[in-house]
Amino acid sequence: MANSAEPSSCLSFTSSSHLSNGSISHNIPSSTASEAAGLSLEVLSLSKLSSSLEQLLVDSTCDYSDAEIVVEGTAVGVHRCILAARSKFFHELFRSEKGSSDKEGKPKYVMTELLPFGKVGYEAFLIFLSYVYTGKLKPSPMEVSTCVDNVCAHDACRPAINFAVELMYASFIFQVPELISLFQRRLLNFVGKALVEDVIPILVVAFHCQSSQLVAQCVDRVARSDLDNICIEKELPHEVAENIRMIRLKSPPQDDENNVEAVDPLHEKRIRRIHKALDSDDVELVDLLLSESDITLDEANALHYAAAYCDPKVLSEILSLGLADVNLRNSRGYTVLHVGAMRKEPSVIVSLLTKGACASDLTLDGRSAVSICRRLTRPKDYHAKTEQGQEANKDRICVDVLEREMRRNPMAGDVSITSHTFADDLHMKLLYLENRVAFARLFFPTEAKLAMDIAHAQTTSEFAGLSASKGSSGNFREVDLNETPIMQSKRLRSRMEALMKTVEMGRRYFPHCSEVLDKFMDDDLPDLFYLERGTEDEQKIKRMRFMELKEDVHKAFSKDKAERSGLSSSSSSSSKKDGINSKLRKL
């Protein structure tokens, strides 16, 4: 099993290659040579043990499992002695002897009955299970941790976040502390890059898993955003929502520039009544409330509310009243169709399109309803085959319906984007992409150059202490006083598209190298920047992880080189890898 994604906290299960590598032999004093040899033998033994235990999971011809855990309808064979030894949760569970038995007499447990909250899917449980058995963390499967948007970098799209959230739930509920720490860092990395609505599931898991640091980061991001109070109250625990409300009272959201007027309590109360009537599926009461006050459906954003939270039949009935603008934008610039796309309910989308919703309308950051839907959809769901007589896949239907509507009316509006919120979000995405491509050039120079040439990305700007080439096209953070906001937006968009295409090309033609980069960017980048900081033990762990990373780079390059055909192998990547150590130490 490749160890490109294993956490640095589990050193005893890692490869011993870094201990015998001549490049660091001079760092080991002769007085400790025997200790190093003993450690090398111990690590080698544990590595063999890890590989042997892995066979229990992957070898279907030898099923020695003595229990089953049913996840999303699929039974997963497990070995109670291993789970009980590695997890206090399973130790207590198996000791209590709960669970039904199948025909073979194996105890059977259902995942949904084991979880007091949250969700852990089949693929996430297999990743968790593999770590419990082997001490190595496999890379996240692309079919469940990426979206079907071709231009997405998959660094903070909803499927990537949801998969990490599931693994965080599993790590916390099944009580594996080292994994909790790892996935907390991953989720912290998402908070600054994700859309604010995609921070909500991170905040929910952080609250349930009692991660105060992660909660604080998410609360700060949401409180400073323009996310409306209704969404916060609907989707977050009351305690968290109240905390955000108090923060906003002390310091109003910086992004909410349009809400500078004082809120009329009576006006707000009447809007709340309309929303409660919608929650009760009582359209007649909604009509009565409208007639008794001067509030309109548009002022209450009733269509947005119904598209997000109500039964599709209620939305259809409200649309039939003919009293609301189906293409109205809310305070965040989202149309009703944008909100419907976020919900991914086909009947909602079809109802809106039937009543004249415009599929080509863009959000303030340039997304259409279909791009929103694609960014929320996993390849597993999109490409899932539907057997005759079974319910059709809703994710695929939503994307297909919106794509057909776009083909029918392809004229998209030209939106002038000057939002400060969008500019900040775009800068964060560009920062990630620039860093990722820059490290690709450092680790895999020839492969990165080929991917950049295909994408016409030229070179990278100067970031994270890495010096750009002298021919750099310039830092996107530099200000040109002659450049209008619209011109800047177009320039940054063009740059981001080129970098996204570079990453996409890398994933397509150099998948193993891309896996190493994904793991490095998610988990190791902050720590390895500062190898000499921290306690002596922390520095030792960082150096050992660095040597593992170097080995991962070599293995990934060798795999891609062996697998690809039609592309000439390059000696430059292998010749430059010996210089990675010295380059990273200078960062």
Side-chain angles (χ1 to χ4, degrees):
M1 178 189 299
N3 65 347
S4 60
E6 64 192 65
S8 58
S9 59
C10 189
L11 296 177
S12 61
F13 278 68
T14 57
S15 171
S16 62
S17 59
H18 61 278
L19 293 172
S20 59
N21 193 318
S23 62
I24 62 166
S25 59
H26 61 278
N27 294 328
I28 304 178
S30 57
S31 60
T32 61
S34 59
E35 294 180 8
L39 180 60
S40 177
L41 180 60
E42 179 183 355
V43 171
L44 179 61
S45 299
L46 289 173
S47 180
K48 288 183 177 180
L49 174 62
S50 172
S51 299
S52 299
L53 290 175
E54 183 181 15
Q55 293 303 310
L56 294 176
L57 293 176
V58 301
D59 190 352
S60 59
T61 61
C62 301
D63 182 12
Y64 302 110
S65 63
D66 58 3
E68 289 183 344
I69 298 178
V70 181
V71 190
E72 295 182 336
T74 302
V76 179
V78 298
H79 306 78
R80 285 179 290 175
C81 60
I82 296 178
L83 291 186
R86 296 278 280 151
S87 163
K88 185 179 179 181
F89 174 91
F90 284 112
H91 173 75
E92 297 295 334
L93 176 70
F94 298 145
R95 190 171 64 174
S96 67
E97 290 298 332
K98 293 180 180 179
S100 60
S101 297
D102 59 13
K103 296 179 180 179
E104 298 179 5
K106 293 182 180 180
K108 182 177 291 187
Y109 306 87
V110 180
M111 176 63 73
T112 54
E113 297 175 359
L114 301 179
L115 306 177
F117 50 80
K119 169 185 176 292
V120 176
Y122 176 74
E123 290 82 6
F125 182 64
L126 290 186
I127 293 289
F128 170 83
L129 202 62
S130 175
Y131 178 82
V132 170
Y133 275 64
T134 69
K136 299 176 182 179
L137 192 65
K138 286 185 175 181
S140 300
M142 298 289 284
E143 66 270 16
V144 291
S145 62
T146 61
C147 66
V148 295
D149 189 341
N150 292 330
V151 298
C152 179
H154 307 304
D155 59 318
C157 57
R158 191 60 172 266
I161 291 173
N162 286 345
F163 194 73
V165 164
E166 289 182 22
L167 285 167
M168 179 75 171
Y169 270 130
S171 305
F172 177 78
I173 294 170
F174 301 143
Q175 301 179 39
V176 181
E178 63 269 29
L179 278 186
I180 296 174
S181 176
L182 171 65
F183 290 113
Q184 177 178 273
R185 293 201 306 272
R186 282 197 183 179
L187 291 173
L188 278 170
N189 189 42
F190 284 134
V191 173
K193 299 184 293 185
L195 295 169
V196 66
E197 51 264 33
D198 292 336
V199 174
I200 295 298
I202 302 177
L203 182 47
V204 172
V205 73
F207 174 78
H208 285 302
C209 295
Q210 303 168 20
S211 174
S212 57
Q213 180 186 6
L214 189 53
V215 167
Q217 292 276 5
C218 292
V219 165
D220 179 68
R221 172 77 196 280
V222 173
R224 290 187 294 104
S225 75
D226 60 353
L227 196 64
D228 60 88
N229 292 327
I230 293 173
C231 176
I232 293 172
E233 293 170 7
K234 279 279 187 180
E235 302 185 26
L236 290 174
H238 175 73
E239 178 183 334
V240 177
E242 188 64 19
N243 186 18
I244 292 173
R245 188 181 72 85
M246 296 304 296
I247 293 174
R248 284 184 164 183
L249 285 176
K250 296 177 183 178
S251 179
Q254 298 174 3
D255 299 335
D256 206 2
E257 298 176 354
N258 296 325
N259 292 344
V260 293
E261 298 179 3
V263 177
D264 181 359
L266 180 59
H267 186 84
E268 189 72 15
K269 184 177 181 180
R270 288 171 175 171
I271 290 176
R272 295 276 183 172
R273 285 178 176 174
I274 292 175
H275 291 168
K276 287 182 179 179
L278 290 171
D279 287 334
S280 302
D281 299 348
D282 195 340
V283 178
E284 291 184 0
L285 178 57
V286 172
D287 200 12
L288 179 63
L289 291 171
L290 292 174
S291 63
E292 290 181 350
S293 69
D294 57 352
I295 300 294
T296 66
L297 288 177
D298 287 346
E299 288 177 312
N301 281 323
L303 289 183
H304 290 84
Y305 187 89
Y309 306 113
C310 298
D311 189 287
K313 292 181 180 179
V314 174
L315 174 64
S316 181
E317 291 179 23
I318 294 294
L319 286 168
S320 298
L321 295 176
L323 301 176
D325 180 4
V326 73
N327 289 307
L328 179 73
R329 293 181 181 270
N330 62 14
S331 60
R332 303 187 65 213
Y334 290 163
T335 67
V336 186
L337 188 60
H338 294 148
V339 175
M342 293 176 187
R343 182 172 173 179
K344 292 198 301 180
E345 175 57 51
S347 56
V348 168
I349 292 174
V350 171
S351 293
L352 293 170
L353 292 174
T354 302
K355 290 297 182 178
C358 182
S360 62
D361 281 348
L362 304 179
T363 62
L364 295 179
D365 56 356
R367 292 174 294 144
S368 64
V370 69
S371 65
I372 289 173
C373 220
R374 289 195 196 107
R375 197 64 65 94
L376 296 170
T377 302
R378 307 181 303 176
K380 176 185 176 181
D381 301 322
Y382 184 78
H383 298 295
K385 294 182 180 180
T386 304
E387 300 294 336
Q388 187 173 2
Q390 291 185 349
E391 183 179 350
N393 185 281
K394 289 185 177 181
D395 299 79
R396 179 63 179 262
I397 291 175
C398 290
V399 174
D400 286 351
V401 167
L402 289 168
E403 284 182 345
R404 284 197 295 268
E405 183 65 18
M406 288 291 284
R407 287 194 294 267
R408 188 182 70 84
N409 183 21
M411 296 303 293
D414 183 16
V415 179
S416 298
I417 303 169
T418 58
S419 166
H420 294 294
T421 306
F422 167 66
D424 291 341
D425 185 54
L426 184 56
H427 281 129
M428 283 189 290
K429 289 181 180 178
L430 275 171
L431 177 61
Y432 173 86
L433 291 168
E434 294 281 4
N435 276 328
R436 195 185 189 286
V437 175
F439 278 106
R441 296 175 66 204
L442 177 65
F443 290 157
F444 313 103
T446 302
E447 291 79 0
K449 184 178 185 303
L450 177 58
M452 294 178 72
D453 288 344
I454 295 173
H456 305 292
Q458 297 178 359
T459 187
T460 54
S461 301
E462 185 175 345
F463 275 95
L466 294 177
S467 298
S469 303
K470 293 182 179 180
S472 172
S473 56
N475 192 319
F476 69 73
R477 293 175 295 184
E478 293 178 354
V479 177
D480 184 352
L481 298 178
N482 296 320
E483 186 178 45
T484 66
I486 295 177
M487 291 170 59
Q488 183 192 48
S489 173
K490 289 182 178 179
R491 175 174 60 83
L492 297 183
R493 277 181 170 284
S494 176
R495 178 63 179 163
M496 186 168 67
E497 288 174 2
L499 291 172
M500 282 182 172
K501 189 174 181 181
T502 300
V503 173
E504 181 188 354
M505 291 299 103
R507 285 199 171 105
R508 180 181 301 177
Y509 296 111
F510 313 107
H512 298 290
C513 294
S514 293
E515 282 183 7
V516 171
L517 282 172
D518 288 338
K519 172 63 174 65
F520 176 76
M521 295 296 294
D522 285 343
D523 300 329
D524 296 315
L525 181 59
D527 289 339
L528 294 184
F529 265 176
Y530 307 105
L531 289 173
E532 306 304 325
R533 293 189 182 182
T535 65
E536 184 176 340
D537 289 340
E538 288 174 344
Q539 291 180 32
K540 181 179 179 182
I541 291 174
K542 288 179 184 179
R543 291 191 183 97
M544 293 181 73
R545 176 57 194 142
F546 173 79
M547 297 310 300
E548 292 172 357
L549 175 63
K550 184 177 178 181
E551 182 66 18
D552 292 343
V553 168
H554 177 73
K555 289 180 179 178
F557 173 73
S558 299
K559 286 182 180 179
D560 283 333
K561 182 178 178 182
E563 290 179 3
R564 66 180 179 262
S565 60
L567 293 176
S568 59
S569 59
S570 171
S571 59
S572 66
S573 288
S574 56
S575 63
K576 292 185 180 181
K577 287 180 178 57
D578 292 335
I580 292 177
N581 193 340
S582 59
K583 288 183 180 180
L584 281 180
R585 287 182 179 276
K586 293 178 181 179
L587 295 178

